[in-house]
Amino acid sequence: MLFRSGGDTGEAAARRHPLERAREAVCREVQLGLELCKQFVADFARSAGDVQILAGLPEQLNAMAGALGLAGLQGAAGILASARDYTRSVRDGARPAPGVEEMDALADALSSVEYFMERLVIDGRPADLILVRAQAALRRVVPEVPPLVPVRPAPKAAVPDTTPIDTGVMPREASVGPEPEQETAPEPVSEPGYAVEPEPAIEGEELEPEI
């Protein structure tokens, strides 16, 4: 079953990081592929051990492992790659036909990976503990399952910061405090030693009366 993250449509989806959207698209495609793989396993379990029913399973697992690896989900990709190698060896006769316990273990591993995909789509972050369960289930059939690689969360889209920057300078209109004093022109100062004095009268010279 496919799950959609609630409310993540339209403008909200457009703001998400491209890698995050691509990873979610890969998860949905892998979910569909895992449904097909589980159908292969169920058909084989109902048969009398006809390994030809598993003929298309390794290629399907290989395609999904490659897609998950490109999406940065190496842990899930490694589990599907181990399941691919196991089913390919069974199909080619390198391993004996699996019994009920082996097929149950393989089905548990595939179901755990599918649940990991569902939670990643819903929550937006990987739940590696689910992959630990898938790894443990597959090791009942394939002991050489590679160790898990932690999943790095997809980067988020950058949101522009509209917070005004505090420069420490108050706007001119909002400035407070006393108004600056206006500059006044300095009073003229007489130069020292140059005071004008009246000239003394000369003897014998009559002074004209002032009119």
Side-chain angles (χ1 to χ4, degrees), residues 30 33-34 37 55-70 76-85 87-88 91 110:
V30 170
L34 287 171
C37 291
L57 183 55
E59 284 69 23
Q60 182 69 29
L61 291 169
N62 183 65
M64 292 187 299
L68 291 175
L70 291 176
I79 292 174
L80 295 187
S82 297
R84 172 203 63 199
D85 296 340
T87 55
R88 180 181 292 164
R91 181 197 63 184
L110 296 179

Coordinates of all heavy atoms in Angstrom, one line a residue, residues 30 33-34 37 55-70 76-85 87-88 91 110:
V30 N 9.7 1.7 -5.5 CA 10.2 0.5 -4.9 C 9.1 -0.2 -4.1 O 9.0 -1.5 -4.1 CB 11.4 0.8 -3.9 CG1 11.7 -0.4 -3.1 CG2 12.6 1.3 -4.7
G33 N 7.4 -2.2 -6.7 CA 8.2 -3.4 -7.0 C 8.3 -4.5 -6.0 O 8.3 -5.7 -6.3
L34 N 8.3 -4.1 -4.7 CA 8.3 -5.0 -3.6 C 7.0 -5.8 -3.6 O 7.0 -7.0 -3.2 CB 8.5 -4.3 -2.3 CG 9.9 -3.9 -2.0 CD1 10.0 -3.0 -0.8 CD2 10.9 -5.0 -1.9
C37 N 7.5 -8.5 -6.0 CA 8.5 -9.5 -5.5 C 7.8 -10.4 -4.5 O 8.1 -11.7 -4.5 CB 9.7 -8.8 -4.8 SG 10.8 -7.9 -6.0
A55 N 12.2 -16.9 -11.8 CA 13.0 -16.5 -12.8 C 13.2 -15.0 -12.9 O 14.3 -14.5 -13.2 CB 12.6 -17.1 -14.2
G56 N 12.1 -14.3 -12.8 CA 12.2 -12.8 -12.9 C 12.5 -12.1 -11.6 O 12.6 -10.8 -11.7
L57 N 12.6 -12.8 -10.5 CA 12.8 -12.1 -9.2 C 14.1 -11.5 -9.1 O 14.2 -10.3 -8.6 CB 12.5 -13.1 -8.1 CG 12.6 -12.6 -6.7 CD1 11.7 -11.4 -6.5 CD2 12.3 -13.6 -5.7
P58 N 15.2 -12.1 -9.5 CA 16.5 -11.4 -9.3 C 16.7 -10.1 -10.1 O 17.2 -9.1 -9.6 CB 17.5 -12.5 -9.9 CG 16.8 -13.8 -9.7 CD 15.4 -13.5 -10.0
E59 N 16.1 -10.1 -11.3 CA 16.2 -8.8 -12.1 C 15.4 -7.7 -11.4 O 15.8 -6.5 -11.4 CB 15.7 -9.1 -13.5 CG 16.7 -9.8 -14.4 CD 16.9 -11.3 -14.0 OE1 16.0 -11.8 -13.3 OE2 18.0 -11.8 -14.3
Q60 N 14.2 -8.1 -10.9 CA 13.4 -7.1 -10.2 C 14.1 -6.5 -9.0 O 14.1 -5.3 -8.7 CB 12.1 -7.7 -9.8 CG 11.1 -6.8 -9.2 CD 10.5 -5.7 -10.1 OE1 10.5 -5.9 -11.3 NE2 10.2 -4.5 -9.6
L61 N 14.7 -7.4 -8.2 CA 15.4 -7.0 -7.0 C 16.6 -6.1 -7.4 O 17.0 -5.2 -6.7 CB 15.9 -8.2 -6.2 CG 14.7 -9.0 -5.5 CD1 15.3 -10.3 -5.0 CD2 14.1 -8.1 -4.4
N62 N 17.3 -6.5 -8.5 CA 18.5 -5.7 -8.9 C 18.1 -4.3 -9.3 O 18.8 -3.4 -9.0 CB 19.1 -6.5 -10.1 CG 20.4 -5.8 -10.6 OD1 21.4 -5.7 -9.9 ND2 20.3 -5.2 -11.8
A63 N 17.0 -4.2 -10.0 CA 16.6 -2.8 -10.4 C 16.2 -1.9 -9.2 O 16.6 -0.8 -9.2 CB 15.3 -2.9 -11.4
M64 N 15.6 -2.5 -8.2 CA 15.2 -1.8 -7.0 C 16.4 -1.4 -6.2 O 16.5 -0.3 -5.7 CB 14.2 -2.5 -6.2 CG 12.8 -2.7 -6.9 SD 11.6 -3.4 -5.8 CE 12.3 -5.0 -5.5
A65 N 17.4 -2.4 -6.1 CA 18.6 -2.1 -5.3 C 19.4 -0.9 -6.0 O 19.9 -0.1 -5.3 CB 19.5 -3.3 -5.3
G66 N 19.4 -0.9 -7.3 CA 20.1 0.2 -8.0 C 19.5 1.5 -7.8 O 20.1 2.5 -7.6
A67 N 18.1 1.5 -7.8 CA 17.4 2.8 -7.6 C 17.6 3.3 -6.2 O 17.8 4.5 -6.0 CB 15.9 2.6 -7.9
L68 N 17.6 2.4 -5.2 CA 17.8 2.8 -3.8 C 19.2 3.3 -3.6 O 19.4 4.3 -2.8 CB 17.4 1.7 -2.9 CG 16.0 1.3 -2.8 CD1 15.8 0.0 -1.9 CD2 15.1 2.4 -2.3
G69 N 20.2 2.7 -4.2 CA 21.5 3.2 -4.1 C 21.7 4.6 -4.6 O 22.4 5.4 -4.0
L70 N 21.1 4.9 -5.8 CA 21.2 6.2 -6.3 C 20.5 7.2 -5.5 O 20.9 8.4 -5.5 CB 20.6 6.2 -7.8 CG 21.4 5.5 -8.8 CD1 20.6 5.5 -10.2 CD2 22.8 6.0 -9.0
A76 N 19.0 -0.1 2.6 CA 17.9 -0.9 2.0 C 18.4 -1.5 0.7 O 18.0 -2.6 0.3 CB 16.7 0.0 1.7
A77 N 19.2 -0.8 -0.1 CA 19.8 -1.3 -1.3 C 20.6 -2.6 -1.1 O 20.6 -3.5 -1.8 CB 20.6 -0.2 -2.0
G78 N 21.4 -2.6 0.0 CA 22.2 -3.7 0.3 C 21.4 -5.0 0.7 O 21.8 -6.1 0.3
I79 N 20.3 -4.8 1.4 CA 19.5 -5.9 1.7 C 18.8 -6.5 0.4 O 18.8 -7.7 0.3 CB 18.4 -5.5 2.7 CG1 19.0 -5.1 4.0 CG2 17.3 -6.6 2.9 CD1 18.1 -4.6 5.1
L80 N 18.3 -5.6 -0.4 CA 17.7 -6.2 -1.7 C 18.8 -6.8 -2.6 O 18.5 -7.8 -3.3 CB 17.0 -5.0 -2.4 CG 15.8 -4.4 -1.7 CD1 15.1 -3.5 -2.6 CD2 14.8 -5.5 -1.2
A81 N 20.0 -6.3 -2.6 CA 21.1 -6.9 -3.4 C 21.4 -8.3 -2.8 O 21.7 -9.2 -3.6 CB 22.3 -6.0 -3.3
S82 N 21.4 -8.5 -1.5 CA 21.7 -9.8 -1.0 C 20.6 -10.8 -1.3 O 20.8 -11.9 -1.7 CB 21.8 -9.7 0.6 OG 22.9 -8.9 0.9
A83 N 19.3 -10.3 -1.3 CA 18.2 -11.1 -1.7 C 18.3 -11.4 -3.2 O 17.9 -12.6 -3.6 CB 16.9 -10.4 -1.4
R84 N 18.7 -10.5 -4.0 CA 19.0 -10.8 -5.4 C 20.0 -11.9 -5.6 O 19.7 -12.8 -6.4 CB 19.4 -9.5 -6.1 CG 19.9 -9.6 -7.5 CD 20.8 -8.5 -7.9 NE 22.1 -8.6 -7.1 CZ 22.9 -7.5 -6.9 NH1 22.7 -6.4 -7.5 NH2 24.0 -7.7 -6.2
D85 N 21.1 -11.8 -5.0 CA 22.1 -12.8 -5.1 C 21.6 -14.2 -4.7 O 22.0 -15.2 -5.3 CB 23.4 -12.4 -4.3 CG 24.0 -11.1 -4.8 OD1 23.7 -10.8 -6.0 OD2 24.8 -10.5 -4.1
T87 N 18.4 -15.3 -4.6 CA 17.4 -15.9 -5.5 C 18.0 -16.2 -6.9 O 17.6 -17.2 -7.5 CB 16.2 -14.9 -5.7 OG1 16.8 -13.6 -6.1 CG2 15.5 -14.7 -4.4
R88 N 19.0 -15.5 -7.3 CA 19.7 -15.8 -8.5 C 20.4 -17.1 -8.4 O 20.4 -18.0 -9.4 CB 20.7 -14.7 -8.9 CG 21.4 -14.9 -10.2 CD 22.4 -13.8 -10.4 NE 21.7 -12.6 -10.7 CZ 22.2 -11.3 -10.7 NH1 23.5 -11.2 -10.4 NH2 21.5 -10.3 -11.0
R91 N 17.8 -19.8 -8.6 CA 17.3 -20.0 -9.9 C 18.3 -20.7 -10.8 O 17.9 -21.6 -11.7 CB 17.0 -18.6 -10.5 CG 16.4 -18.6 -11.9 CD 16.6 -17.3 -12.6 NE 17.9 -16.8 -12.7 CZ 18.3 -15.6 -13.2 NH1 17.4 -14.7 -13.5 NH2 19.6 -15.3 -13.3
L110 N 11.6 -8.8 2.8 CA 11.0 -7.9 1.8 C 9.9 -7.0 2.4 O 9.8 -5.8 2.1 CB 10.5 -8.7 0.6 CG 11.5 -9.5 -0.2 CD1 10.8 -10.3 -1.3 CD2 12.5 -8.6 -0.8

